[in-house]
Amino acid sequence: MTISTVPPDRNTSLSSMRYDPRFQAESRSDDLDLTSGLRLIRRRMVMIVAIIILLMAAAATAISGLKPTFHAESRLIIHTPLATKLGAEESGRNDPLDATSETERLLSRSIAERVIRELRLDDWPEFNPALQEVSLIDKLRAMLRGLVDSEKPSSSRRNSIEPIIPNYYKALRVWRDGQGDVIQIGFDASDPELAAAVPNRLISIYLEERKDSLRARLDAAEEWLLRRIAEQKVRAMTARDAADAYQKTMDVVSNDDDQVEQIKSIMELGERQTKIEQGRAEARATISALEAADDLSLALQNMVIPDSIGAMQRELRAQEQDLERLLETYGDTAQAVVDMRAKIRKSRTDLNLAADRYLQSIRAKLAGLDREDDAVRSALAAAHEKRTRSALAQTELARLQRMADKEQTAVEKLEEQRRGLVAQAMLPGAELEVLSPAAVPLAPHGRGRLFYLVGALLASISIAVTAAFVVEMLDNSVRSFDQIAGMGRTVSAGFIPHLKRKDQKDPSMLFGWIQVGMFDEAIRSVLTSFKQSNGGKLPNSIVVTSAHSGEGKSLVARSLAIDLAANGIPVLLVDADLRHGNLDSFFKSDLKQGLNEFLCGQAGIRDIVHHHPSGIDFIPAGNASLHRRARLTDAADIIGMAASMGQIVIFDSAPVLASADTMHLTALAERTLLVVKWGKTSRRAVEFCLHQLKIARNAELSVAINNVDPKKHAKYNFSDSELFVKSLRKYHEFT
C-alpha cells in the first residue's frame, strides 16, 4: 500500500499503475518452513497462551491433589517340595509348579479379600471410595446418573468390599523377573509401613491358601478313591464268584492228570480204529480175491492162509506132480493114473470146501471188525466231544479268572493311589524361598510434582500449538491480496486499517480522525488507486459494496465522501441499501424522503438531495417499505445530474449476497469497489461476489481490504505483510 500525504487532484493525470501482488515461492513438501511456523505461533500467541493457562489451571489442580506414594517390593522363588520330587513314582504327582500359575494364584480374589480385611485397607481413603471427598465432577456425574437411573445403591453395596478391590489391584503389582522363576511383589501406598506390610502378608496368606487348597484337593481325591475302591472291590468279588460258580456248574476239571487221561484215551481209540481199518482192508482183499478166482488152489497160493488149508494145498500139489510122473510112465487108462486122478479130485474137493469155510470165516471176521469199528467210532466221538466241552469250559473259566484277577489288580492300584495321596497330604503345598522381604521405604516412589508440572506444561504447549495450527488450517478468510490475485480481473485498492467502533458511529470523531490518522492515508490510497485504474482521473460514479453486511462498506463509502469533500471535490453520497440504509442517522438529519421515494416516482431528485455542513451532498435510503416498487434504472438520472454538476457519485450499496440491487447499480456505475473485511470474509464468498459483479459489468473490479490490524497483518508471511510495517514506521517518524 502506498500512502500519499498530498491530497488527490481530480484532474491530475497519473501514470497507469496497479498493485501486482507477488506470490510467495512455494516450498517443496520435504522442506520445513520454520519461519511460517514461527509467524503462525506469534500471531496466535494470545490463543496459545489462553489454552495453556486453562490447561495448566486444570493440571495444577489435579497435581496439587497428588499425595506422595511409597513403594515396597519383595522378591521370592516358589519351588516344588523336594520330598514330592523324591517320591514322585510312589505318589504319582505329575503337576510341577509353574511360575506363571503361581503368579495368578498370588492375584486371586480370596487372597485379596483376606489382605484387605486383615490389614483393614477399608479404613484408608485411598482404597475405600466411600471415605474419599466427592469432587465436583463426580457430583455432576452422579447427578446425571441419577437422572437416568433412579435406583439408589443399597447400604450393603456401599459397605461391601467390592469398591476396594479395584483400588487394591491398582496398587498391587505381581510379575516375573524376565524368563526366570523369580516373582516380584510390589505395592504402592501413601503410608510406607502399609506398603511394606501388604507384600509380606500376601506371601504368608499365599502359603496358607496354597496348603488349604492342596489339602482340599487331596481330601476330595481321597474321598473319590475310597468310593472307587469300594465299587471296585464289589466288582472283583462278583467276578471271583462268577468264576467259582461256573466251575461248579460245568464240572470243569482243573487237574492236569485227568486231562492227560482224556488225551491218552483218545489216542488209544484212534490207534485201535486204525488197526480195525487195516484188518477190514485185509479181509475185504481176501474175500475179493477168493470170490473172483476160478481156481481156488491158484488163488490161495498168493494169500496168507491157515496151516490146514496150506497142508491140503501142498498135498494137492504133490498128487498132481505124482500124476504127471505116472503119465510119463503110464497111459491115461492105467489104474495108478486113474486112482491118482481120483485122489486129486477128492483133494481138490476138500480144498474147495476148506476155502469156502475159510471165506465164511473171513466174512464173519469182517462183520465183527465192522461192529468193532462202529463201537470205536462212537467211543472216539464221545471222547472228542468230552474233550471239546472240557476245553471250552477251561477257556471260559480262564477268562472269568482273568477278569477276576484284573478287577483285583484294579483294587490294588486304587489302594496304592490312596496310600500315595495320604503320603502327599503330609507334604507342604509349595516351598517358598524369599530372596528379599519387603522393607519399609524411606523415600516416596515416582516423580515429584515439579516433574508432573513440567510435563503438563509441555503437553499444554503441544496441545495449544496444535490447536493453533488447526485453527489456522481451517481459516479460509481473506487477509492479503495474494489470496485473491488469481480470481480474475481485479485491482487492488489498498488496505484500510482498523478503526474503533465508537469512532465509526460518531461522525464528528470520524471527521477529526480523518485529518491526522492513518485511516485518512488509507482512504486517499483507495482514491489514488481509482485514478490509476481509470486513466488518471477519478471516476464519475462509484459503487461501494461487500459480500456480507458488517464488513465496513458503509464506513468506506462515507470516508471516501468525507475525504473528497475535505479536498474540495464535489461529492454526492447515495445510500443505495434500500432496505437497511441508515445514512440519515449518520448525518443526524430528520429527512423523510430518500432514494426509495425517487425510484418509486413519489419524489424528484431535488427533493431527496440534502447538503451537509461538511460539504457533502447525500441522499438517504428513505422509506424501506417502498423498495419492492423501486426502479433502479432511474438511478442513471442521479448519475447524470451529478455529472452535470461536476459531482462524484458514491453509492453505498447493499451487500452482494444479500440483495440483487447491487448488480443493477454496478451496471450503471463507472467503477465498483468491493470491500472485504480482513480475517472475516471467506475467499469463497469473495470469489462468488466477483463472479456476480462481472456478470453485471464486464470490467475490472477494485478490491479494498478493510479493518486491517497492522500489527497482526505483519505477522503473516504474505508478500504485502511488510507494507504496513514500513508505513507504520514512516507514520510514527512523521508524527
Side-chain angles (χ1 to χ4, degrees):
M1 184 187 72
T2 304
I3 300 178
S4 175
T5 57
V6 181
D9 187 358
R10 181 181 176 187
N11 298 320
T12 303
S13 177
L14 298 177
S15 60
S16 179
M17 183 176 66
R18 299 184 184 181
Y19 176 82
D20 189 10
R22 296 177 290 107
F23 289 99
Q24 291 177 277
E26 296 184 357
S27 60
R28 295 181 302 174
S29 60
D30 56 349
D31 292 340
L32 181 62
D33 192 356
L34 294 176
T35 305
S36 299
L38 294 176
R39 286 175 177 268
L40 186 149
I41 294 174
R42 187 178 64 176
R43 61 177 172 264
R44 296 289 180 181
M45 185 58 68
V46 176
M47 171 185 172
I48 292 174
V49 171
I51 294 176
I52 291 174
I53 292 174
L54 291 176
L55 293 178
M56 284 301 297
T61 303
I63 293 172
S64 62
L66 294 178
K67 297 181 180 180
T69 302
F70 294 89
H71 178 79
E73 184 178 299
S74 63
R75 302 172 71 249
L76 62 143
I77 300 178
I78 302 175
H79 302 286
T80 302
L82 184 59
T84 302
K85 295 181 179 179
L86 295 176
E89 296 181 357
E90 292 77 9
S91 62
R93 188 170 181 178
N94 55 0
D95 53 345
L97 292 178
D98 181 64
T100 303
S101 301
E102 300 309 312
T103 301
E104 294 300 324
R105 284 192 175 94
L106 288 168
L107 294 170
S108 64
R109 173 65 180 260
S110 60
I111 295 179
E113 291 180 355
R114 287 191 58 184
V115 170
I116 292 173
R117 289 192 176 96
E118 293 181 10
L119 296 181
R120 303 189 62 82
L121 296 182
D122 53 345
D123 294 339
W124 295 84
E126 58 182 311
F127 299 106
N128 192 352
L131 301 179
Q132 298 176 358
E133 296 182 0
V134 182
S135 62
L136 179 60
I137 298 177
D138 293 336
K139 291 181 180 178
L140 294 176
R141 188 184 295 112
M143 185 183 300
L144 294 176
R145 188 183 297 111
L147 296 176
V148 178
D149 187 7
S150 60
E151 182 181 358
K152 296 183 179 180
S154 61
S155 59
S156 61
R157 183 178 177 183
R158 289 195 299 266
N159 298 329
S160 66
I161 201 174
E162 293 299 329
I164 306 174
I165 292 291
N167 294 329
Y168 166 78
Y169 279 120
K170 185 178 180 181
L172 179 66
R173 185 185 177 197
V174 180
W175 73 100
R176 291 176 59 186
D177 189 3
Q179 298 298 325
D181 293 334
V182 178
I183 299 177
Q184 299 185 19
I185 304 175
F187 193 78
D188 297 332
S190 59
D191 183 58
E193 295 182 356
L194 179 63
V198 170
N200 296 329
R201 185 55 186 156
L202 178 64
I203 294 173
S204 60
I205 293 176
Y206 160 76
L207 289 176
E208 296 175 5
E209 291 277 341
R210 191 76 171 88
K211 183 178 180 180
D212 295 341
S213 174
L214 182 60
R215 181 63 186 175
R217 290 174 56 196
L218 292 176
D219 291 343
E222 184 177 4
E223 183 180 356
W224 178 80
L225 279 176
L226 290 174
R227 291 197 301 268
R228 286 289 308 278
I229 289 171
E231 295 172 358
Q232 192 64 34
K233 284 182 177 180
V234 173
R235 285 195 290 269
M237 186 178 297
T238 303
R240 182 62 62 188
D241 293 341
D244 295 340
Y246 181 80
Q247 185 176 5
K248 293 178 181 179
T249 302
M250 300 301 295
D251 192 15
V252 180
V253 178
S254 59
N255 192 357
D256 294 339
D257 294 337
D258 295 336
Q259 296 179 6
V260 171
E261 288 296 332
Q262 291 178 358
I263 297 172
K264 186 177 180 180
S265 175
I266 292 173
M267 292 177 63
E268 290 176 353
L269 289 173
E271 291 176 357
R272 186 177 177 186
Q273 185 182 17
T274 302
K275 290 179 180 180
I276 292 172
E277 287 292 335
Q278 291 177 356
R280 291 174 65 190
E282 291 176 357
R284 287 192 188 97
T286 302
I287 292 171
S288 298
L290 292 175
E291 289 178 349
D294 294 333
D295 188 357
L296 290 177
S297 61
L298 295 175
L300 292 173
Q301 292 179 359
N302 299 322
M303 298 180 182
V304 179
I305 56 178
D307 294 340
S308 60
I309 296 176
M312 294 174 67
Q313 187 177 9
R314 289 191 296 272
E315 184 179 358
L316 179 61
R317 284 198 191 106
Q319 290 176 358
E320 287 178 350
Q321 290 176 359
D322 291 342
L323 179 60
E324 288 178 358
R325 287 194 297 270
L326 288 175
L327 286 176
E328 289 178 357
T329 305
Y330 306 100
D332 290 334
T333 60
Q335 187 61 36
V337 173
V338 172
D339 293 338
M340 188 56 68
R341 285 182 176 170
K343 290 180 179 179
I344 290 172
R345 283 195 296 274
K346 183 178 181 302
S347 298
R348 193 179 297 281
T349 300
D350 293 338
L351 181 60
N352 288 336
L353 290 174
D356 288 337
R357 288 193 297 273
Y358 178 68
L359 179 60
Q360 292 299 325
S361 66
I362 294 299
R363 287 177 177 170
K365 181 181 178 181
L366 180 60
L369 289 174
D370 288 339
R371 289 191 297 273
E372 186 179 1
D373 183 65
D374 291 338
V376 171
R377 285 181 181 275
S378 298
L380 186 60
H384 275 296
E385 184 179 359
K386 183 178 180 181
R387 176 61 184 166
T388 301
R389 289 198 304 269
S390 178
L392 292 175
Q394 287 287 348
T395 303
E396 181 64 19
L397 180 61
R399 185 184 68 81
L400 293 174
Q401 289 177 348
R402 286 196 302 271
M403 288 181 61
D405 294 340
K406 183 178 179 181
E407 297 295 340
Q408 186 62 33
T409 303
V411 172
E412 294 175 357
K413 287 184 177 179
L414 290 174
E415 288 286 354
E416 183 180 358
Q417 290 181 358
R418 188 184 68 82
R419 290 192 297 270
L421 287 176
V422 173
Q424 287 186 31
M426 295 184 293
L427 297 176
E431 291 183 354
L432 192 144
E433 179 183 357
V434 180
L435 301 179
S436 58
V440 178
L442 301 178
H445 175 71
R447 309 290 184 177
R449 295 181 180 177
L450 179 60
F451 175 83
Y452 290 111
L453 284 174
V454 172
L457 178 61
L458 295 177
S460 301
I461 293 174
S462 301
I463 295 173
V465 173
T466 302
F469 272 91
V470 171
V471 170
E472 193 73 19
M473 290 172 60
L474 297 177
D475 185 10
N476 194 32
S477 60
V478 176
R479 297 180 184 274
S480 170
F481 287 104
D482 291 346
Q483 298 172 304
I484 61 176
M487 295 183 182
R489 299 170 62 187
T490 58
V491 178
S492 171
F495 292 96
I496 300 175
H498 171 72
L499 192 63
K500 295 180 180 180
R501 184 175 297 274
K502 62 179 183 178
D503 296 337
Q504 297 178 18
K505 296 181 179 181
D506 190 353
S508 61
M509 291 295 296
L510 184 61
F511 296 148
W513 177 266
I514 262 186
Q515 301 301 322
V516 295
M518 285 187 60
F519 188 85
D520 175 45
E521 299 297 329
I523 295 299
R524 291 179 181 178
S525 297
V526 173
L527 294 174
T528 303
S529 67
F530 276 130
K531 270 192 175 184
Q532 292 172 350
S533 60
N534 197 40
K537 296 181 180 180
L538 288 173
N540 293 325
S541 57
I542 302 172
V543 174
V544 181
T545 185
S546 63
H548 304 282
S549 60
E551 295 184 355
K553 51 97 180 175
S554 297
L555 174 66
V556 172
R558 297 164 188 175
S559 299
L560 290 175
I562 293 173
D563 189 87
L564 290 174
N567 288 280
I569 299 175
V571 60
L572 174 62
L573 179 60
V574 180
D575 191 353
D577 191 352
L578 301 180
R579 287 181 293 181
H580 303 288
N582 59 354
L583 188 60
D584 53 345
S585 62
F586 177 77
F587 285 103
K588 297 181 179 180
S589 61
D590 297 330
L591 303 176
K592 301 299 182 181
Q593 293 181 333
L595 185 61
N596 275 309
E597 285 77 6
F598 171 73
L599 297 178
C600 292
Q602 297 181 6
I605 296 179
R606 302 296 180 182
D607 299 331
I608 61 175
V609 177
H610 305 276
H611 184 74
H612 190 265
S614 62
I616 300 174
D617 292 342
F618 67 96
I619 299 176
N623 189 0
S625 62
L626 302 175
H627 77 279
R628 293 185 179 275
R629 294 181 292 171
R631 299 185 302 273
L632 290 175
T633 55
D634 294 343
D637 296 340
I638 297 176
I639 297 175
M641 180 203 70
S644 63
M645 298 178 62
Q647 291 180 325
I648 297 177
V649 181
I650 299 177
F651 290 97
D652 181 7
S653 180
V656 177
L657 301 180
S659 175
D661 299 342
T662 303
M663 298 180 62
H664 295 287
L665 292 176
T666 301
L668 298 175
E670 188 174 350
R671 301 295 296 178
T672 301
L673 175 64
L674 179 65
V675 178
V676 178
K677 190 172 184 179
W678 187 87
K680 181 180 179 181
T681 310
S682 65
R683 291 194 291 271
R684 186 175 180 180
V686 173
E687 185 176 6
F688 182 76
C689 290
L690 293 175
H691 176 72
Q692 293 295 103
L693 294 175
K694 288 176 182 178
I695 292 176
R697 182 181 180 89
N698 189 14
E700 290 183 340
L701 300 174
S702 299
V703 179
I705 299 179
N706 182 36
N707 201 40
V708 180
D709 189 338
K711 295 181 179 180
K712 292 183 179 180
H713 184 70
K715 296 177 182 179
Y716 284 86
N717 198 27
F718 298 117
S719 60
D720 50 15
S721 299
E722 298 294 331
L723 295 179
F724 258 119
V725 176
K726 295 179 180 179
S727 300
L728 281 172
R729 290 175 182 173
K730 292 182 179 179
Y731 176 76
H732 287 302
E733 291 176 358
F734 177 77
T735 56

